[in-house]
């Protein structure tokens, strides 16, 4: 609705400006317009200007969509598979080179992982209450300046607390990862001054677009705001000194964390086949908004004293810098192709049957991984504490590593940070990368424990190139 309102307002402004200019011109010159003049200047001209504006907007959006498609489509030539010691070929892994989180829990990645044995919980809020006037639990950033990026009305666009807080949380994550991305990009060839036909000019090597910067946001953001955010991202990247020809920017709307996982699945698969691409994946969202919390309360999905199994409002921003195979080195990570279970394997009535499907799928998935990646040492999942999803997460981890001490080797992010929407998959990747730096053992990511739509992913520590992969010095 907000998008159609903005379009109607822009058309109205064009007609008013065109009519006013034509009438002032006729009055100042004393000209008497004919019927054809009135049709041309008061009808066709403003309609043409409005149409041209919409066409330009459509072209800009089409360019963003093509950039995203370029980053997520699979090239014709598959990447060379990795051979295990037993001769079984497995898929290549995308490189995970940097990560950053900024969540309502108020801890950075190292501190949150260090507290995994006794993780923090969302606190009771003094602002938000349930139907019995009791405080509800929320996970929010204290003293956040929600007007840091967006105003309540930005360039004629009305904004909500959800949007303002989300972008305020994103700003420090974006700045940190843009610095990482700028350092990761290959250095451009030096310019050389040459003489052509007696004229001096600077000649430089070809400049390739090798970086895609993509932001995931939830449904509900207006079209006008999405365009503003894209321009804001573009300007921030340019301020870091990245050549505008080397990157593109896209803003993608996803419905929930399940859609975000599916998007990440496609992206990881595409990057595993694109050795010369970088992808900075960002996400931001906030449920710390009176309208959002009241909507949850009215629909009976808000976690309250009488309904503790409901959803806990949270907020945050996260980002990861992904790249093609071969980019991972010591200190970085490898994201192996995720596994998305079919709906009929998870939506079964009996828990025992569902868990049998889950463990069987995990065991089969194990065959597509290098042997060194079997021994999962930590599990990141989205199950609420005390729910059946925790049992499912433990069983999946046991199928990959029967010796894992699940009680001390797991962390439920929503249990600490509340509902994060599209931020959840990106934040879990950033935490997994940090965990591999703390402990070189692989990290299992298990999502969809409550929605019955399972996604499993694995992040392991990066390794130095093998001798056969190094360039020859002869």
């Amino acid at each position: 609705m907000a998008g159609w309102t903005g379009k109607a307002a822009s058309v109205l402004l064009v007609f008013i400006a065109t009519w006013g200019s034509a009438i002032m011109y006729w009055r100042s010159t004393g000209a008497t317009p004919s019927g054809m003049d009135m049709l041309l200047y008061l009808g066709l001209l403003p309609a043409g200007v409005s149409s041209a504006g919409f066409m330009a907007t459509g072209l800009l959006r089409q360019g963003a969509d093509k950039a995203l498609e370029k980053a997520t489509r699979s090239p014709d030539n598959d990447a060379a598979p990795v051979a295990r010691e037993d001769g079984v070929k497995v898929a290549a892994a995308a490189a995970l080179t940097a990560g950053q989180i900024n969540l309502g829990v108020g801890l950075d990645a190292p501190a949150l992982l260090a507290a995994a044995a006794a993780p923090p919980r969302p606190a009771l809020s003094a602002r938000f209450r349930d139907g019995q006037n009791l405080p509800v639990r929320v996970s929010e950033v204290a003293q956040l300046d929600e007007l840091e990026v967006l105003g309540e009305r930005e360039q004629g666009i009305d904004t909500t607390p959800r949007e303002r807080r989300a972008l305020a949380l994103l700003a420090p994550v974006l700045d940190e990862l843009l610095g990482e991305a700028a350092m990761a990009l290959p250095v451009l060839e030096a310019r050389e001054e040459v003489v052509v036909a007696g004229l001096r000019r600077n000649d430089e090597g070809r400049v390739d677009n090798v970086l895609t910067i993509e932001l995931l946001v939830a449904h509900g953001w207006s079209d006008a705001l999405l365009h503003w955010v894209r321009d804001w991202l573009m300007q921030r990247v340019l301020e870091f000194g990245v050549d505008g020809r080397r990157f593109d920017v896209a803003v993608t709307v996803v419905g929930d964390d399940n859609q975000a996982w599916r998007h990440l699945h496609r992206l990881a698969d595409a990057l595993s086949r694109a050795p010369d691409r970088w992808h900075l994946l960002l996400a931001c969202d906030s449920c710390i908004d009176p309208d959002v919390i009241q909507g949850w309360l009215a629909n009976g999905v808000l976690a309250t004293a009488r309904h503790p199994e409901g959803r806990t409002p949270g907020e945050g921003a996260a980002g990861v810098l992904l790249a093609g195979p071969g980019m991972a080195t010591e200190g970085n990570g490898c994201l192996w192709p995720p596994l998305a279970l079919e709906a009929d394997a998870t939506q079964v009535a009996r828990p025992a049957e569902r868990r049998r499907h889950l463990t069987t799928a995990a065991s089969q998935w194990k065959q597509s991984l290098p042997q060194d990646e079997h021994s999962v040492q930590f599990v990141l999942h989205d199950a609420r504490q005390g729910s059946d999803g925790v049992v499912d997460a433990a069983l999946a981890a046991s199928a990959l590593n029967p010796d894992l001490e699940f009680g001390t080797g797991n962390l439920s992010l929503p249990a600490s940070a509340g509902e994060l929407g599209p931020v959840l998959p990106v934040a879990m990747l950033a935490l997994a990368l940090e965990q591999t730096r703390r402990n070189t053992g692989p990290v299992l990511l298990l999502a969809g424990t409550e929605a019955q739509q399972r996604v499993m992913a694995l992040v392991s520590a990066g390794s130095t190139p093998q001798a056969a992969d190094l360039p020859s010095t002869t």
Side-chain angles (χ1 to χ4, degrees), residues 80-152:
V82 179
R84 284 193 342 206
E85 293 179 359
D86 56 5
V88 177
K89 293 184 178 180
V90 297
L96 184 58
T97 65
Q100 191 74 16
I101 63 171
N102 184 18
L103 306 178
V105 69
L107 300 176
D108 60 10
L112 184 56
L113 291 168
R121 295 289 181 261
L124 292 172
S125 171
R127 291 194 297 150
F128 304 109
R129 297 179 177 272
D130 62 12
Q132 284 70 45
N133 200 32
L134 296 175
V136 299
R137 292 190 178 275
V138 300
S139 179
E140 62 178 325
V141 174
Q143 300 178 346
L144 175 68
D145 180 9
E146 69 176 42
L147 301 178
E148 178 184 355
V149 176
L150 269 180
E152 293 185 2

Side-chain angles (χ1 to χ4, degrees), residues 14-15 43-55:
V14 169
F15 270 84
L44 298 180
L45 180 60
V49 172
S50 297
S51 299
F54 288 131
M55 288 179 63

Side-chain angles (χ1 to χ4, degrees), residues 39-313:
L39 175 62
L40 175 63
Y41 291 104
L42 302 184
L44 298 180
L45 180 60
V49 172
S50 297
S51 299
F54 288 131
M55 288 179 63
T57 302
L59 289 174
L60 288 174
R61 179 173 296 179
Q62 184 179 6
D65 293 341
K66 287 182 178 179
L68 179 58
E69 181 184 358
K70 178 181 179 181
T72 57
R73 69 172 181 256
S74 297
D76 295 334
N77 296 326
D78 294 348
V82 179
R84 284 193 342 206
E85 293 179 359
D86 56 5
V88 177
K89 293 184 178 180
V90 297
L96 184 58
T97 65
Q100 191 74 16
I101 63 171
N102 184 18
L103 306 178
V105 69
L107 300 176
D108 60 10
L112 184 56
L113 291 168
R121 295 289 181 261
L124 292 172
S125 171
R127 291 194 297 150
F128 304 109
R129 297 179 177 272
D130 62 12
Q132 284 70 45
N133 200 32
L134 296 175
V136 299
R137 292 190 178 275
V138 300
S139 179
E140 62 178 325
V141 174
Q143 300 178 346
L144 175 68
D145 180 9
E146 69 176 42
L147 301 178
E148 178 184 355
V149 176
L150 269 180
E152 293 185 2
R153 185 170 177 81
E154 189 72 35
Q155 296 183 5
I157 306 169
D158 291 327
T159 64
T160 65
R162 179 175 196 168
E163 297 159 348
R164 295 194 295 269
R165 293 184 70 89
L167 289 179
L169 290 164
L170 176 66
V173 173
L174 175 63
D175 290 345
E176 179 70 24
L177 291 178
L178 281 180
E180 296 279 354
M183 291 188 296
L185 294 181
V187 178
L188 289 175
E189 296 182 13
R191 297 182 178 183
E192 296 181 0
E193 193 176 66
V194 298
V195 178
V196 179
L199 298 176
R200 293 182 179 273
R201 66 179 179 87
N202 286 330
D203 187 23
E204 62 180 8
R206 176 182 174 184
V207 180
D208 292 326
N209 183 331
V210 295
L211 170 66
T212 295
I213 299 166
E214 182 182 15
L215 173 64
L216 304 182
V217 299
H219 278 311
W221 294 43
S222 68
D223 292 342
L225 181 57
L226 293 178
H227 284 290
W228 185 93
V229 171
R230 185 179 181 277
D231 293 340
W232 174 73
L233 287 172
M234 182 78 70
Q235 183 61 35
R236 294 291 279 252
V237 182
L238 293 174
E239 289 174 357
F240 270 78
V242 181
D243 193 314
R245 296 167 295 177
R246 308 187 74 189
F247 71 93
D248 50 59
V249 174
V251 180
T252 303
V253 178
V254 292
D256 53 20
D257 59 300
N258 287 324
Q259 288 189 12
W261 274 112
R262 288 195 290 270
H263 183 80
L264 179 61
H265 187 189
R266 294 191 299 268
L267 176 60
D269 181 67
L271 283 174
S272 68
R273 307 166 187 267
D276 58 348
R277 292 287 304 177
W278 279 262
H279 197 104
L280 177 54
L281 184 64
L282 305 161
C284 63
D285 193 25
S286 175
C287 301
I288 310 302
D289 184 322
D291 291 340
V292 174
I293 294 178
Q294 286 301 316
W296 287 8
L297 181 61
N299 293 327
V301 299
L302 179 67
T304 63
R306 293 188 176 183
H307 183 50
E309 65 275 11
R311 304 171 65 184
T312 301

